[in-house]
Amino acid sequence: MHQGNRTDIARLGEFGLIEHLTKNIQLKNPETLYGIGDDAAVLHFGEKQTLVTTDLLMEGVHFDLVYTPLRHLGYKAAMVNFSDIYAMNGKPKQITVSIALSKRFCIEDMEEFYNGLQLACEHHNVDIVGGDTTASLTGLAISITCIGEADKSEVVYRNGAKDTDLICVTGDLGAAYMGLQLMEREKAVFQGDNQAQPDFAGKEYILERILKPEARKDIIELFRTKGIKPTAMIDISDGLSSDLLHICKQSGVGCSIYEERLPIDYQTAVMAEEFHLNLSTCALNGGEDYELLFTIPLSLHEEVSTWEGIRVIGHITKPERGCMLVCRDGAEIELKAQGWIALSE
Amino acid sequence: MHQGNRTDIARLGEFGLIEHLTKNIQLKNPETLYGIGDDAAVLHFGEKQTLVTTDLLMEGVHFDLVYTPLRHLGYKAAMVNFSDIYAMNGKPKQITVSIALSKRFCIEDMEEFYNGLQLACEHHNVDIVGGDTTASLTGLAISITCIGEADKSEVVYRNGAKDTDLICVTGDLGAAYMGLQLMEREKAVFQGDNQAQPDFAGKEYILERILKPEARKDIIELFRTKGIKPTAMIDISDGLSSDLLHICKQSGVGCSIYEERLPIDYQTAVMAEEFHLNLSTCALNGGEDYELLFTIPLSLHEEVSTWEGIRVIGHITKPERGCMLVCRDGAEIELKAQGWIALSE
């Protein structure tokens, strides 16, 4: 929450607030014909296909304002939607932004939220084209819808994975989950002792992963450059296990992934050790990674091995083989949507 | 809220609930290539332009579940978005539906909400293509985004009204506001005395107007049939005054409307009398009418006079004339966004 001058939202009213927050918004995309200011935005994609995704974020469920700056929240709220469009192998083009807010928020709070939102949109070349601003009796609610585009031949669904395809994941996993654990711990310390200062030194990466995730535009551009189209793709929001199971279920296939191949940053490993958590569980089920999980034909094995920041973690199998994790000791365990290793600890 | 068997949502979980609610959804529009089940829906409008509008409804602010059946809420939540697309002279084609709900809701509640939603979509030939279902710590939050289409030459903005244009309004005004007052009164009575039965006889119309509004698809079809395109249009959600001021501001014009021309149903008039409210105030500022307010060239005066259910209420003027209401006694009062007559009572 904003710490300096706090201007009551009632001073502007709903229309005034919307105008204040959106007056500097400039449209960047030729597909955006008309943005904020009418009953609906007007877009035109011509021969391209239109992609639509939406997310609803609720205070206390998806974010805790004790440790989430509103600027970061705005950035992340946009980013998680861009991530869904990239997961279709498309480009995000427009968003609508609806906010319900209670009286404890001031205009400066909303400015910070919009600053984060606009920064995310600048990085990804997205136009803010509409939305709704309204009152809430209790917490903050944020609903963002993102519209993107892709050539018909480019769209990648979850249902195209085939036997022997390689399973690839970008970046590393489990860091956002560890960042969340760290912030929850420091919050508890802070609430017990107001003099306590949080100790975040050396933990910047995992904090950034939870507070300011970055959707993988670069990977989609890499696919274009290399002329490669994945057979199936999803973004990792619920956790690798859960999202890989979506691909397998929708493609009607099984999979084998290897525990030793899971990409994990050293800060994630250090924190898991500190919290006495099983590191593989964090990587498999942590969620909120916003990395891309995709499958490509086996014939691309050599090619993909040379791509920086992309790890082959296993392969697709026939459906009767099930969805398996091959542990370091060679044992095979069935992948569950969440928490299976936690149970075995 | 559902009164019979109540099934805990935890029995299905998030993915299970979504699957349960959406399994019977069938796509109707050829423009909808892929609906629920991936990271984003896939649409294609070709040469048509794409329209996007969104609304966020919060429990306690936009609706009161004491007197709003969830089935009606679902119907209305969809309808208010369709109304925005019609107000652009377009056709709604798809919606995404996000819901945040607390533990006090059961699966049957959500089924009723979806029943209403699907009924609205059937009436208006709209596909449900995605959404988000999540938890809320307190009340119910509903966010709907509607996507529509229109030929480039058909889109009607708020900014095209010209001097001497006729100002027209569909249906009648103020009824939803009176319906709301009635329900609030009966709620207060009920809370004071649990034996009291609400008395709604002869008041069905105003109740239907607030609980189950109908977006004016028929008017858009009439425009097509007659080959007529309004110069400006908006749907009346905030109240005639407020919405007419949007048209005038964005078109850079003034207006004169006539109190005696305001279309008002007799049930609205009876209730206003009963509540000692100024009837014109209710019609001008009540809001939630979801009627269409539009302007057409003066040359169409004879034509529009023959259209059933459409009333010419005044005309556009030069901007220096201001935005005026001509009262029954001939006095002119400046239109305000809300409550100006209330102040003078």
Side-chain angles (χ1 to χ4, degrees):
Chain A
M1 307 282 278
H2 187 71
Q3 298 299 321
N5 281 339
R6 295 180 59 84
T7 313
D8 196 344
I9 284 174
R11 277 193 50 190
L12 292 179
E14 184 194 333
F15 296 129
L17 177 64
I18 294 172
E19 195 169 321
H20 177 73
L21 293 173
T22 60
K23 67 185 175 214
N24 292 324
I25 290 176
Q26 291 180 347
L27 302 178
K28 295 178 281 274
N29 287 298
E31 297 85 0
T32 312
L33 305 179
Y34 195 94
I36 291 163
D38 215 298
D39 295 287
V42 184
L43 319 174
H44 189 225
F45 293 102
E47 278 315 297
K48 298 254 187 181
Q49 296 190 337
T50 306
L51 308 170
V52 180
T53 184
T54 192
D55 252 304
L56 178 56
L57 303 177
M58 303 293 290
E59 183 178 351
V61 176
H62 300 96
F63 56 89
D64 184 335
L65 291 177
V66 169
Y67 51 70
T68 311
L70 279 158
R71 190 177 155 85
H72 285 78
L73 185 61
Y75 192 88
K76 182 170 174 175
M79 210 53 79
V80 302
N81 280 283
F82 300 166
S83 184
D84 278 320
I85 298 292
Y86 292 131
M88 302 296 289
N89 203 27
K91 288 183 202 159
K93 287 284 173 173
Q94 295 95 7
I95 54 170
T96 62
V97 184
S98 295
I99 311 174
L101 63 168
S102 63
K103 286 191 182 139
R104 66 183 221 275
F105 295 96
C106 65
I107 289 173
E108 290 78 8
D109 289 331
M110 287 302 102
E111 285 171 353
E112 289 185 15
F113 178 83
Y114 257 79
N115 281 344
L117 202 62
Q118 286 186 270
L119 189 66
C121 288
E122 274 164 36
H123 288 176
H124 292 259
N125 200 39
V126 168
D127 292 324
I128 300 174
V129 297
D132 196 8
T133 304
T134 184
S136 158
L137 291 188
T138 52
L140 182 65
I142 301 162
S143 175
I144 293 190
T145 298
C146 184
I147 297 138
E149 63 162 35
D151 276 340
K152 186 183 172 186
S153 62
E154 284 169 352
V155 178
V156 175
Y157 295 90
R158 296 176 179 176
N159 62 13
K162 290 185 182 56
D163 186 23
T164 76
D165 277 359
L166 298 171
I167 301 170
C168 307
V169 64
T170 64
D172 58 78
L173 303 175
Y177 180 73
M178 291 318 308
L180 181 63
Q181 301 311 310
L182 176 61
M183 289 194 303
E184 287 286 349
R185 181 181 75 183
E186 297 301 316
K187 177 185 168 185
V189 169
F190 181 77
Q191 286 176 335
D193 173 7
N194 278 330
Q195 300 304 308
Q197 285 299 312
D199 175 19
F200 292 146
K203 291 153 187 163
E204 294 79 5
Y205 178 68
I206 60 172
L207 289 175
E208 190 173 301
R209 291 291 281 174
I210 184 71
L211 289 175
K212 196 165 174 283
E214 200 58 50
R216 300 306 303 260
K217 181 188 188 189
D218 56 332
I219 301 294
I220 304 309
E221 289 169 349
L222 182 72
F223 290 149
R224 296 274 191 290
T225 312
K226 301 276 185 187
I228 283 171
K229 182 185 168 188
T231 49
M233 185 153 59
I234 191 171
D235 74 321
I236 303 178
S237 51
D238 295 324
L240 174 65
S241 290
S242 179
D243 291 317
L244 180 53
L245 287 171
H246 281 307
I247 285 187
C248 290
K249 187 180 174 191
Q250 294 196 29
S251 299
V253 296
C255 68
S256 285
I257 60 170
Y258 296 85
E259 188 182 5
E260 64 183 13
R261 300 290 302 159
L262 296 175
I264 295 168
D265 185 81
Y266 77 97
Q267 280 191 18
T268 310
V270 169
M271 279 312 294
E273 182 80 21
E274 208 173 312
F275 278 105
H276 305 295
L277 289 171
N278 181 303
L279 185 55
S280 297
T281 305
C282 299
L284 285 163
N285 300 316
E288 294 231 63
D289 298 302
Y290 300 108
E291 295 294 342
L292 293 172
L293 172 67
F294 60 92
T295 57
I296 53 169
L298 183 57
S299 57
L300 291 171
H301 192 223
E302 268 191 54
E303 167 82 37
V304 77
S305 304
T306 67
W307 296 355
E308 213 177 318
I310 293 180
R311 181 82 63 93
V312 178
I313 59 167
H315 55 86
I316 296 294
T317 61
K318 293 199 164 55
E320 54 270 26
R321 292 288 311 277
C323 296
M324 311 304 286
L325 174 76
V326 183
C327 299
R328 283 201 173 76
D329 62 4
E332 293 200 7
I333 306 177
E334 198 181 340
L335 278 178
K336 290 272 162 52
Q338 54 180 347
W340 64 269
I341 292 186
L343 288 176
S344 70
E345 268 182 339
Chain B
M1 308 282 276
H2 187 72
Q3 298 298 319
N5 281 338
R6 294 181 60 84
T7 313
D8 196 345
I9 284 174
R11 276 192 53 188
L12 291 180
E14 183 193 335
F15 296 128
L17 177 64
I18 295 172
E19 196 170 320
H20 177 73
L21 293 172
T22 61
K23 66 185 174 210
N24 293 324
I25 290 175
Q26 291 181 346
L27 302 177
K28 297 179 281 273
N29 287 299
E31 297 84 2
T32 311
L33 305 179
Y34 195 96
I36 292 163
D38 216 298
D39 296 286
V42 183
L43 320 173
H44 189 224
F45 294 103
E47 278 315 298
K48 299 255 184 177
Q49 295 190 339
T50 306
L51 308 170
V52 181
T53 183
T54 191
D55 251 304
L56 178 57
L57 303 176
M58 303 293 289
E59 182 177 352
V61 176
H62 300 96
F63 56 88
D64 185 335
L65 291 178
V66 169
Y67 50 70
T68 311
L70 279 158
R71 192 178 154 86
H72 285 78
L73 184 61
Y75 192 89
K76 182 169 173 175
M79 211 52 80
V80 302
N81 279 283
F82 300 166
S83 185
D84 278 320
I85 298 292
Y86 291 131
M88 302 296 289
N89 202 27
K91 288 182 203 160
K93 287 284 172 174
Q94 295 95 6
I95 54 169
T96 62
V97 184
S98 295
I99 310 174
L101 63 168
S102 63
K103 286 190 182 140
R104 65 184 221 275
F105 296 97
C106 64
I107 289 174
E108 289 77 10
D109 290 331
M110 287 303 100
E111 284 172 353
E112 288 184 17
F113 178 84
Y114 257 79
N115 282 343
L117 201 62
Q118 286 187 269
L119 188 66
C121 287
E122 274 164 36
H123 288 176
H124 292 259
N125 200 39
V126 167
D127 292 323
I128 300 174
V129 297
D132 196 8
T133 304
T134 185
S136 158
L137 290 188
T138 53
L140 183 64
I142 301 162
S143 174
I144 293 190
T145 298
C146 184
I147 297 139
E149 62 162 38
D151 276 340
K152 187 183 170 184
S153 62
E154 285 168 352
V155 179
V156 175
Y157 294 89
R158 295 177 180 176
N159 62 12
K162 289 183 182 57
D163 185 24
T164 77
D165 278 359
L166 299 172
I167 300 169
C168 306
V169 65
T170 64
D172 58 78
L173 302 175
Y177 180 73
M178 291 319 306
L180 181 63
Q181 301 310 310
L182 176 60
M183 289 195 302
E184 287 285 349
R185 182 180 74 181
E186 297 301 315
K187 176 185 168 184
V189 169
F190 181 78
Q191 286 175 336
D193 173 5
N194 278 329
Q195 300 305 307
Q197 285 298 314
D199 176 19
F200 291 146
K203 291 154 187 163
E204 293 80 5
Y205 178 69
I206 60 172
L207 288 175
E208 190 174 300
R209 291 290 283 175
I210 184 70
L211 289 175
K212 198 166 172 283
E214 202 57 51
R216 301 307 303 261
K217 180 188 187 186
D218 57 330
I219 301 295
I220 303 310
E221 289 170 348
L222 182 72
F223 290 149
R224 297 276 190 289
T225 311
K226 301 275 185 189
I228 283 172
K229 181 184 166 187
T231 49
M233 185 155 57
I234 190 170
D235 74 321
I236 304 179
S237 51
D238 296 324
L240 174 65
S241 290
S242 179
D243 291 316
L244 181 54
L245 287 170
H246 281 306
I247 285 187
C248 290
K249 186 178 173 193
Q250 294 196 29
S251 299
V253 296
C255 68
S256 285
I257 60 171
Y258 297 85
E259 187 182 7
E260 63 183 12
R261 300 288 304 157
L262 297 175
I264 296 168
D265 185 82
Y266 77 96
Q267 280 191 18
T268 310
V270 169
M271 279 312 296
E273 182 79 22
E274 207 173 312
F275 278 106
H276 307 294
L277 289 170
N278 181 303
L279 186 55
S280 296
T281 305
C282 298
L284 285 163
N285 300 316
E288 295 231 64
D289 299 302
Y290 301 107
E291 294 294 342
L292 292 172
L293 171 68
F294 59 92
T295 55
I296 53 169
L298 183 57
S299 57
L300 291 171
H301 192 223
E302 269 191 53
E303 167 82 36
V304 78
S305 305
T306 67
W307 297 355
E308 213 176 316
I310 293 180
R311 181 82 63 93
V312 177
I313 60 167
H315 55 86
I316 296 294
T317 62
K318 292 198 165 53
E320 54 270 26
R321 293 288 312 276
C323 296
M324 310 305 285
L325 175 76
V326 183
C327 298
R328 283 200 173 77
D329 61 7
E332 293 200 5
I333 307 177
E334 198 180 342
L335 280 178
K336 290 271 160 57
Q338 56 182 348
W340 64 268
I341 293 186
L343 288 176
S344 70
E345 270 182 339

